[in-house]
Amino acid sequence: MSSTVSTSWGIPPSRLETSESPKMHPSSPFGQSEPEYNDNDETELLSVSWNQDYGCFTAGTNQGFRIYNCDPFKETFRRDLKNGGFGIVEMLFRCNILALVGGGANPQYPPNKVMIWDDHQSRCIGEFSFRSEVRAVKLRRDRIVVVLEHRIYVYNFMDLKLLHQIETLANPRGLCCLSHHSNTSVLACPGLHRGQVRIEHFGLKMTKFINAHDSQIACLTLTLDGLLLATASTKGTLIRIFNTMDGTRLQEVRRGVDKADIYSIALSPNVQWLAVSSDKGTVHIFSLRVRVVGEDSSNHSSATQGPAFVHQNSSTSLDALISPSTGANPGSSLSFMKGVLPKYFSSEWSFAQFHLAEDIRFLAAFGSQSTVVIVGMDGSFYRCSFDPLNGGEMSQVEYVRFLKTENRPK
């Protein structure tokens, strides 16, 4: 598998007016443009994606793309194109840099190309071409990661030079996630064997393989510092949390007993909560017992303490990763017989739940003050709150129909 990179760093904008450049008009940076509201029944939602801090999300459509702020909910930017579908629209936090991949029946770009678009300059500043379809793109301030079905390419953001190539098991979902703290550089992706996750600690020049599940990996996510990993398999019943430094399993929670397709896993910034969405139409919240080194177990700190974890953690320091608290997740009353009864009797079940329509793809993330934000491929946005002491059914705080369309791809 080979790739081709074209860069336009320092090239005058006049040289970028080619057929490969985005067919867009100059505009101001994101968040300062005035969106035009002209929804119509022909708009089809092709993708939704959170930014790195879950404060915004993108919506790729068959006629362009849009960016929404979550709190307060507001459309902040859009590009409407007559024939310009985007299957991937990846933000870099809240700045003016986007990674764009064409999608839909009339893609704006071929699906084997990644375009790095700088909206402040209103021009494309880089282009990557591959021999196969791009499955995902992930960004951090110093790296661009392009995911193909069998290989992952890692590039330096400043000069677009190729730094790493990683071979994976077949990865049609484009599974890959990055840490986002400046002093930790961690990547997680499928390994070369079923159920295996590969962890690259680039800063430490260390590779770790974790045999997370017996079935193939369906979903995975990292904490912001990259030191904790949460995974689910195609079976979709269990979610497991691992220490990425030594691969130790720290906690296991159960979504349910029946097989399910896991759509998203999210960890709260303070690593106190975990959210899971699936095709069963339920978002589950679990209480976590893992915590950051040095924090008081009764007072979960912000994720900014995470980097200190790197220097204090070792393969034997699991006491620092597991809170003395047993957590608030309900368990079976028969858990004392866990050595005799089937495994699900000793599992930790969800602490709080919110019910949605089944078979529609929903992505969940954490907002502020015990809230969860949920975005659906039916063009819906929910904000829900949960009781951090008692759990139970979550309350719907806000509902917005951000894209009026009858097309509902899963």
Side-chain angles (χ1 to χ4, degrees), residues 160-393:
L160 304 189
K161 289 185 177 179
L162 179 64
L163 300 177
H164 307 280
Q165 295 185 50
I166 301 171
E167 189 176 352
T168 70
L169 195 67
N171 185 18
R173 297 174 184 241
L175 300 179
C176 182
C177 53
L178 301 173
S179 65
H180 293 292
H181 277 149
S182 59
N183 57 342
T184 58
S185 183
V186 185
L187 178 149
C189 65
L192 289 172
H193 303 287
R194 185 178 64 184
Q196 185 184 73
V197 177
R198 176 172 179 159
I199 305 292
E200 290 290 342
H201 290 271
F202 292 121
L204 301 176
K205 296 182 179 179
M206 180 180 77
T207 302
K208 184 68 185 177
F209 291 94
I210 299 175
N211 295 317
H213 299 271
D214 294 331
S215 304
Q216 290 187 352
I217 303 297
C219 195
L220 51 79
T221 192
L222 290 167
T223 48
L224 292 176
D225 58 16
L227 298 170
L228 295 175
L229 167 76
T231 65
S233 74
T234 51
K235 191 174 180 181
T237 54
L238 298 172
I239 296 88
R240 291 170 173 159
I241 298 91
F242 298 90
N243 172 5
T244 64
M245 297 294 289
D246 63 9
T248 305
R249 186 197 302 178
L250 302 176
Q251 191 172 352
E252 178 181 282
V253 296
R254 179 172 290 276
R255 181 213 55 81
V257 178
D258 298 331
K259 184 177 179 179
D261 189 2
I262 302 297
Y263 291 146
S264 70
I265 303 175
L267 294 163
S268 65
N270 59 10
V271 202
Q272 186 177 3
W273 307 104
L274 180 146
V276 177
S277 64
S278 72
D279 63 347
K280 299 298 183 182
T282 305
V283 173
H284 293 274
I285 305 296
F286 299 89
S287 174
L288 296 184
R289 290 180 284 112
V290 295
R291 61 185 176 90
V292 176
V293 165
E295 74 170 285
D296 187 331
S297 61
S298 64
N299 181 23
H300 287 266
S301 67
S302 68
T304 56
Q305 288 190 1
F309 190 4
V310 177
H311 308 294
Q312 300 181 50
N313 181 58
S314 71
S315 60
T316 59
S317 62
L318 295 184
D319 289 343
L321 292 172
I322 303 177
S323 170
S325 167
T326 57
N329 298 321
S332 169
S333 61
L334 299 175
S335 60
F336 66 93
M337 298 180 66
K338 60 185 178 182
V340 180
L341 295 173
K343 197 172 189 177
Y344 58 80
F345 282 110
S346 60
S347 298
E348 296 178 57
W349 297 78
S350 62
F351 173 77
Q353 309 83 30
F354 185 74
H355 296 280
L356 299 151
E358 291 188 21
D359 298 325
I360 293 174
R361 188 178 184 87
F362 288 98
L363 305 182
F366 286 93
S368 59
Q369 299 178 344
S370 301
T371 61
V372 175
V373 286
I374 304 166
V375 177
M377 285 298 292
D378 61 347
S380 62
F381 172 89
Y382 296 85
R383 189 190 316 281
C384 310
S385 65
F386 63 94
D387 185 334
L389 296 178
N390 301 311
E393 188 69 20

Side-chain angles (χ1 to χ4, degrees), residues 67-136:
I67 294 176
Y68 298 88
N69 187 69
C70 291
D71 191 11
F73 183 86
K74 181 183 179 182
E75 181 182 309
T76 60
F77 186 85
R78 73 160 65 182
R79 290 289 194 189
D80 283 328
L81 308 170
K82 290 183 179 179
N83 291 295
F86 290 94
I88 297 173
V89 182
E90 188 75 11
M91 296 179 70
L92 179 61
F93 289 92
R94 293 172 181 264
C95 77
N96 48 284
I97 302 295
L98 288 171
L100 304 173
V101 179
N106 295 297
Q108 176 70 5
Y109 309 116
N112 66 322
K113 286 189 175 183
V114 178
M115 312 298 286
I116 307 299
W117 173 256
D118 183 343
D119 199 76
H120 184 65
Q121 301 182 59
S122 297
R123 67 188 184 107
C124 181
I125 57 175
E127 173 186 326
F128 302 87
S129 297
F130 303 91
R131 292 182 179 176
S132 62
E133 183 177 339
V134 175
R135 300 296 184 179

